[in-house]
Amino acid sequence: MRQGILGKKLGMTQVYGEDGRAIPVTVVEAGPCRVVQIKDRGQDGYDAAQVGFMEMKKNKRLTKAMSGHFAKGGVPAYRHLKEVPTGELKVGDEITVGIFEQGNRVHVTGRSIGKGFQGVMKRHNYGGGPDTHGSMFNRAPGSIGQCSFPSRVFKNIGMPGRMGGETVTMRGIEVVEVRPEQNILLLKGGIPGARGSIVFIGKGDK
């Protein structure tokens, strides 16, 4: 569990550094997140702070259980919840992009873009067969097992199948700029997830 903040991926652009070079960045609307619940070891078995992101506009879509959960903390209903280390947080506290500074290294967790059903060349980076005239073996996986013994395909052989749509964490991403007045973070390079998806930005080891 890592201290951090929830955010929404807005897309990519570029900014210019002091040396005039263009830096590709991902724009993330990070927070503000509000503490909804504090969990303690005595009652819940572990210590954590539950934070909410993106306040809901129509509470009628909430279940009675979730309505009671938010009402107990005296906070609005939120679309997304995430647990972070408790630290000195209390119910109702707000977490903003101010916890980050330019030059920080962060870890970003998101759900990768789903690619649907893909073959072995795209899914596992297989080389494929020759592309010359007359070749009958282009994008097939090739040999996947043995002949007469043991007459089966071993587990974990790279095969065609669904690709993407998995939780991915990228580590050591540099914070290029922090804009507290807009709740915006500019992160160097790309991050997991499609435009508009929810990501978790956690403080790195440095």
Side-chain angles (χ1 to χ4, degrees):
M1 193 181 296
R2 190 179 296 273
Q3 186 68 49
I5 193 172
L6 286 167
K8 179 180 178 181
K9 180 177 177 180
L10 300 182
M12 291 194 69
T13 183
Q14 64 182 15
V15 296
Y16 293 92
E18 295 178 355
D19 57 358
R21 293 186 179 182
I23 304 172
V25 295
T26 301
V27 184
V28 180
E29 180 187 348
C33 295
R34 191 173 298 278
V35 179
V36 175
Q37 180 189 18
I38 296 294
K39 298 189 175 184
D40 62 80
R41 192 175 301 274
Q43 183 174 354
D44 303 290
Y46 63 100
D47 298 318
Q50 187 184 74
V51 299
F53 175 60
M54 292 182 64
E55 187 174 337
M56 294 187 67
K57 297 180 179 179
K58 296 183 178 180
N59 292 348
K60 65 180 182 180
R61 295 181 178 177
L62 282 175
T63 63
K64 289 185 178 180
M66 290 306 297
S67 296
H69 179 66
F70 291 116
K72 184 178 179 181
V75 297
Y78 290 92
R79 284 181 171 272
H80 307 282
L81 298 173
K82 175 75 175 178
E83 291 183 357
V84 299
T86 306
E88 299 179 356
L89 295 173
K90 303 183 295 296
V91 173
D93 286 354
E94 196 172 69
I95 305 174
T96 67
V97 291
I99 63 175
F100 300 107
E101 296 178 356
Q102 182 178 354
N104 285 164
R105 296 282 178 171
V106 296
H107 298 343
V108 180
T109 301
R111 192 166 183 82
S112 62
I113 298 174
K115 304 292 185 181
F117 192 96
Q118 298 296 334
V120 293
M121 289 182 67
K122 182 168 183 175
R123 193 178 187 215
H124 299 293
N125 200 31
Y126 282 15
D131 244 352
T132 53
H133 178 70
S135 172
M136 303 295 287
F137 170 58
N138 295 315
R139 301 182 67 88
S143 175
I144 59 173
Q146 297 72 34
C147 187
S148 61
F149 180 82
S151 297
R152 64 186 177 88
V153 178
F154 288 117
K155 292 181 179 180
N156 301 320
I157 297 294
M159 299 286 282
R162 288 182 68 96
M163 180 180 176
E166 301 176 343
T167 300
V168 177
T169 298
M170 292 182 66
R171 303 178 183 275
I173 297 178
E174 181 183 348
V175 177
V176 176
E177 188 177 341
V178 181
R179 300 179 182 176
E181 66 283 352
Q182 298 175 297
N183 298 315
I184 292 293
L185 275 180
L186 299 184
L187 304 177
K188 187 174 183 179
I191 64 172
R195 187 185 299 114
S197 62
I198 301 302
V199 296
F200 177 72
I201 304 161
K203 287 190 173 182
D205 300 324
K206 294 183 180 180

